[in-house]
Amino acid sequence: MIIIYFINLFNNVLVWLNSVLPNASVLPWGIDATMVSGIGYLRFFTAYFPPLGTLLSAFALYLIFILGIKLIRLFPIIRNILD
Amino acid sequence: MKKKKKISQYGTKVSRTKLWQEFRKIGFQKNAPNTIKRYFLPLFLILLFTGFWVYPQVIRASPSTITTNASLSISGDFRQTDLTTGTCYIHVAGLCTDWTDYSTCAEAGSSSFPCSDTYNLGSWGNGQYSVFYGPNFTPSTYVFEPVYSSDGIWSLVNLGLIPSICNSQTTETDCTFYPSCEWSGTTGACYYNSSTALTIPTDTCSEFDYACKVKNYFTWFFTDSPAQIGSGLNSVYLNFFQMFPIGYITRFKSLLLDDTLTPALEPPAISYTPGTSITDHTSIFGTFTFQPFNHMDITNTITEDTNGGTRNVWDIFMPYWNTMVYLSLGIVILIKLLNLGTDYYQEQMENGEGPMANRIEPAPKYYKVKK
């Protein structure tokens, strides 16, 4: 009912924003292609030595956490809550 | 002497627009914080505007021939070229679990007709049907949905609102389908084979559009289903995490952690050119290239030393290792979130203690104190 209505309306705004904002599905400045080949090498090693894979995954999660925190801190409301 | 009015440290009041003044007069959101008034209220009004005004306009602008139970009539010459007698068969498949294998399709219906006749397929209800299959079967899909405009402001309604409320969640929006036919005991070609497309007229196609819009617009407020909510939330999730700049982090995460990326991540191919010591001689082998992943076995042949044990060394070791690593990560993230660990050094530096104390000068006091 009204829940679907609001979900769809919020979705509309996101769809509209996505049509206006730059395409963010591929990393810029050639980083994407570099990572695709580079991460492949790491996976090559982790196939031989799985503990390395866990370490890399944990590091990636930590990196994403840090980036995410830095990103959401851009919004003043969230920054106030966190600080 | 008249006391001077105290001025806030944040400066004088910012003059508001006429619109906001009007809102203040009627007491709208009077006690709400400024953030809500400035950001969420306009957003809410925009949402209301798009929902309650624009959408009915779209429906009102539709032709008057709105049918709530739309169907599609397909007729065509399905005869084969080299057979004018006998019985021809035609099958219509419904939804398939595997679109490349027609045997997984549910049959929506089949019919036989004299091969000398033109066959009228009849009417089919609104929905998704897939193929007409025969000896030269190539699976293909057609969906009874119109092509939505993705240009300009209408993308707000067309790409956002309509597909999300219609039951069909497919992204295929052609009105084109590819039939082929089957006949008993004889091989040959069809007039309409898998490479010949039949295009459904736009008018017929749009009936489904209007039916969908009208039906869903009025049933929104009375019907509800977890599937619809789930699908809507999924769209929101996808749209949010593909949005700039969050999309970059999503992609970054996918490249690092997602094993299901297609094409699969693999190191660059290794090229090798055999050399020769003979002057002016070229190796007949030339350069060959191979993917190391394709020629690699994982060394997991060490199994546990018990009778009938099948687990290898990594199966035994990895659960403990994973627990340790992710527990450590959790603790680190928790410390970071709670600002533990930084307070201690911060306090030391403020007191002029600790290893960093003599490396950082105290902040100069340049500000003047008003009397």
Side-chain angles (χ1 to χ4, degrees):
Chain A
M1 285 196 291
I2 202 71
I3 299 170
I4 296 172
Y5 174 76
F6 280 110
I7 288 173
N8 287 327
L9 289 179
F10 183 59
N11 199 26
N12 287 347
V13 177
L14 291 178
V15 168
W16 182 79
L17 281 173
N18 275 331
S19 69
V20 173
L21 293 169
N23 180 11
S25 60
V26 173
L27 296 174
W29 309 312
I31 297 171
D32 202 85
T34 310
M35 273 190 74
V36 165
S37 57
I39 297 298
Y41 275 117
L42 290 176
R43 293 204 171 164
F44 184 84
F45 294 130
T46 56
Y48 274 116
F49 191 65
L52 180 66
T54 312
L55 279 179
L56 290 172
S57 296
F59 178 66
L61 285 172
Y62 180 70
L63 218 56
I64 289 158
F65 163 73
I66 294 291
L67 286 173
I69 288 287
K70 285 193 183 303
L71 189 75
I72 61 175
R73 274 176 66 89
L74 292 175
F75 299 99
I77 305 165
I78 298 169
R79 189 166 62 221
N80 289 338
I81 294 167
L82 287 176
D83 291 347
Chain B
M1 192 182 169
K2 198 179 177 184
K3 198 179 178 183
K4 223 178 182 182
K5 198 180 178 184
K6 194 182 178 185
I7 298 171
S8 165
Q9 58 171 318
Y10 301 112
T12 52
K13 272 188 176 177
V14 180
S15 62
R16 296 172 189 280
T17 60
K18 281 246 171 188
L19 184 68
W20 283 117
Q21 284 173 10
E22 289 304 313
F23 277 127
R24 282 174 69 79
K25 272 180 197 169
I26 58 172
F28 199 76
Q29 292 281 328
K30 197 177 178 182
N31 298 319
N34 273 344
T35 322
I36 292 175
K37 276 195 273 187
R38 287 183 185 169
Y39 300 108
F40 290 115
L41 188 60
L43 192 65
F44 181 69
L45 290 172
I46 289 167
L47 291 180
L48 280 182
F49 176 78
T50 53
F52 289 115
W53 191 82
V54 173
Y55 197 59
Q57 301 311 308
V58 173
I59 289 180
R60 208 172 64 176
S62 305
S64 56
T65 55
I66 292 172
T67 51
T68 52
N69 192 13
S71 62
L72 182 66
S73 182
I74 304 167
S75 61
D77 193 349
F78 293 97
R79 291 170 299 176
Q80 56 182 111
T81 51
D82 57 352
L83 188 70
T84 52
T85 58
T87 307
C88 283
Y89 298 87
I90 190 155
H91 294 258
V92 180
L95 289 169
C96 309
T97 47
D98 180 3
W99 292 98
T100 58
D101 182 8
Y102 71 89
S103 62
T104 64
C105 303
E107 191 171 41
S110 66
S111 185
S112 62
F113 57 101
C115 289
S116 54
D117 286 351
T118 300
Y119 180 66
N120 189 337
L121 193 63
S123 295
W124 296 85
N126 192 3
Q128 186 179 12
Y129 303 101
S130 65
V131 286
F132 297 82
Y133 56 85
N136 300 321
F137 172 72
T138 303
S140 54
T141 310
Y142 72 95
V143 181
F144 292 174
E145 270 190 62
V147 178
Y148 298 114
S149 166
S150 59
D151 299 329
I153 189 69
W154 291 108
S155 65
L156 194 75
V157 175
N158 288 339
L159 295 180
L161 204 58
I162 295 173
S164 57
I165 61 166
C166 288
N167 291 328
S168 177
Q169 297 298 321
T170 178
T171 53
E172 298 283 335
T173 52
D174 310 323
C175 284
T176 307
F177 66 98
Y178 302 91
S180 66
C181 57
E182 181 190 38
W183 53 95
S184 62
T186 315
T187 56
C190 299
Y191 282 157
Y192 285 109
N193 56 32
S194 57
S195 60
T196 310
L198 284 180
T199 306
I200 301 166
T202 314
D203 292 343
T204 317
C205 224
S206 56
E207 281 182 13
F208 295 96
D209 180 20
Y210 300 136
C212 178
K213 277 192 293 192
V214 172
K215 191 183 78 180
N216 283 284
Y217 184 70
F218 291 115
T219 53
W220 267 1
F221 301 98
F222 308 110
T223 59
D224 197 355
S225 76
Q228 270 183 308
I229 293 177
S231 152
L233 286 176
N234 191 43
S235 306
V236 169
Y237 174 84
L238 290 176
N239 284 322
F240 180 75
F241 283 100
Q242 284 170 0
M243 196 171 66
F244 176 88
I246 304 155
Y248 290 134
I249 290 187
T250 311
R251 175 66 178 164
F252 181 67
K253 174 194 142 286
S254 308
L255 285 175
L256 285 178
L257 302 176
D258 194 359
D259 289 325
T260 59
L261 275 184
T262 50
L265 295 177
E266 52 185 10
I270 294 173
S271 297
Y272 182 73
T273 309
T276 175
S277 58
I278 305 169
T279 315
D280 298 332
H281 177 264
T282 309
S283 170
I284 59 165
F285 294 110
T287 303
F288 62 91
T289 306
F290 68 98
Q291 271 293 343
F293 266 5
N294 299 340
H295 304 281
M296 191 177 83
D297 278 333
I298 299 168
T299 53
N300 56 0
T301 50
I302 306 167
T303 52
E304 61 183 334
D305 191 16
T306 53
N307 289 333
T310 53
R311 296 190 302 167
N312 64 43
V313 63
W314 298 126
D315 289 338
I316 299 163
F317 175 67
M318 285 305 285
Y320 301 108
W321 175 249
N322 285 348
T323 309
M324 206 169 76
V325 170
Y326 288 120
L327 205 62
S328 310
L329 177 69
I331 291 167
V332 168
I333 288 178
L334 205 64
I335 286 171
K336 195 86 183 166
L337 278 176
L338 298 176
N339 276 332
L340 298 172
T342 54
D343 289 355
Y344 174 71
Y345 295 106
Q346 188 73 30
E347 203 175 323
Q348 272 192 338
M349 283 197 292
E350 281 168 4
N351 295 337
E353 299 165 355
M356 296 295 285
N358 55 355
R359 300 184 194 178
I360 297 172
E361 294 174 10
K365 294 177 178 178
Y366 288 133
Y367 55 86
K368 289 177 183 176
V369 181
K370 280 185 179 177
K371 288 180 182 176

